[in-house]
Amino acid sequence: MAKTTIMVVDDEVDFNYMMSYWLKAKGYNVISKSNGMDALEVIKKNNLDMVFLDIAMPLMDGVEVLKQIRKLDKDLPVIMITAYGTQDRVDMCQKSGISGFFAKEDNFDSLLEIIDTVLKLHKGLKK
């Protein structure tokens, strides 16, 4: 069975590194990007299983990246990462079809449950 490939998109270098390292340690293939433009190029060229996408990024914020992702792939599971979850941003993300939220202050172990649930739901929809 092929390994699950997850992309982490976050401009905060330390957080991106820690999350990517943790996911790799759990056995996932990880692609790490620091901005939305690079992330969109990866999505165009790769078959990803899931994306963790930071909401607050320079150049193109996560909400805009999410809208562009939906133009490329309406079913790709996207989990928004946030340290600054304003209600407006949360509402905008939910309207664009996200699979969930992960708060940066949460424990990474809670990610396993999010990943497992989202992948099961996604694979169930693809049948």
Side-chain angles (χ1 to χ4, degrees):
M1 192 167 111
K3 270 189 177 183
T4 299
T5 301
I6 298 173
M7 181 165 56
V8 177
V9 186
D10 195 318
D11 64 306
E12 195 177 311
V13 176
D14 289 345
F15 182 83
N16 193 325
Y17 175 80
M18 283 188 313
M19 187 169 180
S20 297
Y21 182 86
W22 186 88
L23 288 166
K24 286 175 188 172
K26 297 297 180 189
Y28 296 104
N29 283 332
V30 180
I31 298 170
S32 176
K33 294 295 170 190
S34 61
N35 67 70
M37 298 300 284
D38 288 349
L40 291 170
E41 288 304 311
V42 169
I43 291 168
K44 289 175 188 173
K45 297 174 183 170
N46 294 275
N47 187 12
L48 302 174
D49 295 295
M50 182 179 298
V51 175
F52 281 93
L53 177 62
D54 187 23
I55 291 178
M57 293 186 292
L59 305 177
M60 181 187 288
D61 73 4
V63 176
E64 184 56 37
V65 176
L66 177 61
K67 289 177 184 175
Q68 297 300 317
I69 289 172
R70 287 296 165 245
K71 290 178 183 176
L72 298 169
D73 185 339
K74 64 180 181 57
D75 297 322
L76 177 64
V78 177
I79 309 293
M80 301 305 289
I81 306 170
T82 184
Y84 319 101
T86 66
Q87 193 59 48
D88 287 348
R89 280 186 165 164
V90 169
D91 291 345
M92 185 72 75
C93 292
Q94 288 174 328
K95 286 177 189 165
S96 297
I98 59 165
S99 298
F101 276 97
F102 178 72
K104 287 186 176 182
E105 64 271 8
D106 284 354
N107 186 313
F108 280 158
D109 288 335
S110 66
L111 281 178
L112 285 179
E113 190 172 323
I114 292 170
I115 293 168
D116 190 45
T117 301
V118 169
L119 289 177
K120 280 181 184 171
L121 285 171
H122 183 66
K123 287 177 179 162
L125 293 173
K126 284 181 118 175
K127 287 181 181 173

